[in-house]
Amino acid sequence: MVARKLKIGLLGCGTVGGGLVELVGKNSSLIRQRAGVELSITKILVRDPLKDRPGVERALLTTHPEKVLDNGCDMVVELVGGIEPARTFIQHSLARGKHVVTANKALLALDGFSLMKAAELQKVRLGFEASVCGGIPIIRALRNGLVGNQIQRLTGILNGTCNYILTRMTEDRVEFDAALAEAQAKGFAEADPTLDIDGHDAAQKLKILAELAFHSRVAADAVQTEGIRHITADDIQVARELGYVIKHIATAEVADDSIALEVHPVLLPATDQLASVRDENNAVLVRGDAVGEMLFSGKGAGSLPSASAVLSDIVDIACHKGGFSASFGGAVRTAVPDHSARHYLRFPVSDPSAIGPITNILERNGVGIVRAAAVWAKNASAQNQVRVLTQACCRSAVENSLRDIAASGLEKGKGIALRVAE
Ligand code: HSE
C-alpha cells in the first residue's frame, strides 16, 4: 500500500510535544502499516530553540508561529496550553481549513463550543482526546463507544498530580510540598501547579466530559470546586484508621432536570474501585442506561500517555472523514449538589476545650455527631485541633456550621470539611 503523506505543524515541544515527537519517531512504521499514512512533523514552535531536547531535530524548531501555521502542513497540533495565544493559533488554523488536535483543557473548558462550531463551519476536525485523562480514550468512548446510551453519572479521578500527591502522602508519608515537587519533576503538574492542587484542572476536565456525556453546554462556573492543599498527613492517617482513603474525586450526575457537577476531596471506603487508583493514574466510572457501570482507568498525565492520545486523534483524523458536528444541545441547568453524607471535619484551635462550643454549633445547625476529639499538638510545629465525624447530614447544614464556627473566633486558621462516601 502506498502511504499517504500527512504533514504536521507542531505548536509547543514541552512534556507532551516532546513525547509526540518521540512517539511518532518510534511508531511511524506501525502507523503506516495500520493506517496507511506517513506522518511527518514539518515545523515545531518553541520558546527557546537552544534548550536541550534529546531526539528533536534542531532544524525543525522555530520561534515564529507563522512558520508553523502557514508552511503548508495538513494538520496543526496545539500543545502550548493556556488561553492565548493558543486560541488564536487554533482559530487561525481552522479558518484556513486545517484540522487541529489539541490537549488544551483550559481553552476547551472556556471556549470549546465555539471552536467546535468553527471546525464544523470549515468542515475540518478538532481532536481533543488528550485534554482529559491523558492516555485513557475516554473522549472517544463517550463520543463513539457509548453514544447509544443515556449517561446518568460520571465519577472519577481526573487529575494525576493530585492523585500522585495523595498516594505518596498515604503510602509513604511524604509531606504535601515534597510530593508536589515530585509530581512537578515527573512532568505531571501544570506550569502553574495551583491549577492542579486547587481543583481547577479537574473542574475543566469534568466540564468537557459532562458536555459530551450529557450532550449539553455547561456554564463555566457550574462545577463546585475544592482542592487538596489543606489536607495533612494527619487527616490521611485518621481516614485510614476509619477504613477510608482520601481521593480527589470529580462527579457529574443527573439530578431531576439538572446536572450537579463537583470536584472535591472525599473519604472513600478502602474497598471502593477508585480507592485503589494510585500515583498519576486517572479513572472514570461511567454509568449508562444500556451498558450499566463501566470503569476506564490508566495513566492520566505524563509525556508518552498524553502523546498517545494526541497521536490517536492525528491518525483518526487522517483516516476518517466526517465528524464535523459540534453535537451539543442547549445549555443545561446545573444544581449545587447537596447530598446527605457523613463528614470528617478538622478545626485548628488555640485551645482544644473549644470542642464544647464547636460541637454545640454543629448540633444547633442540625449536624449530628458520631464522634468528636480534642487533639493536643505533639510538637511546637503542630497545631491543637478538634476533629469531628458527623452523622449523615446535608452539605448545606455543614456549610452553615462552618460559617458560624468561623464567626465565633474559635478557629485558628483554615480547617477542612470532607465528605465521607458510603
Ligand atoms: N496536570 C495534569 C494532571 C496533566 O496532573 O492531571 C494532565 O492533564
Side-chain angles (χ1 to χ4, degrees), residues 112-130:
F113 187 70
S114 68
L115 294 174
M116 284 182 223
K117 277 281 171 209
E120 184 180 3
L121 203 69
Q122 291 296 328
K123 299 197 168 4
V124 290
R125 304 261 305 271
L126 176 70
F128 50 96
E129 184 63 69

Side-chain angles (χ1 to χ4, degrees), residues 250-264:
T251 304
E253 188 164 23
V254 176
D256 302 324
D257 60 346
S258 56
I259 297 171
L261 299 126
E262 186 169 34
V263 163
H264 59 159

Side-chain angles (χ1 to χ4, degrees), residues 50 80 155 234 316 323 345 358:
L50 300 178
V80 291
T155 187
D234 277 351
D316 184 51
L345 313 176
I358 285 177

Side-chain angles (χ1 to χ4, degrees), residues 105 131 158-162 188-190 196 201 205 282 300-301 306:
K105 57 243 159 160
S131 63
L158 304 185
N159 184 268
T161 301
C162 284
F188 305 149
E190 297 301 298
D196 296 294
D201 176 88
K205 292 167 175 168
N282 284 186
S306 303

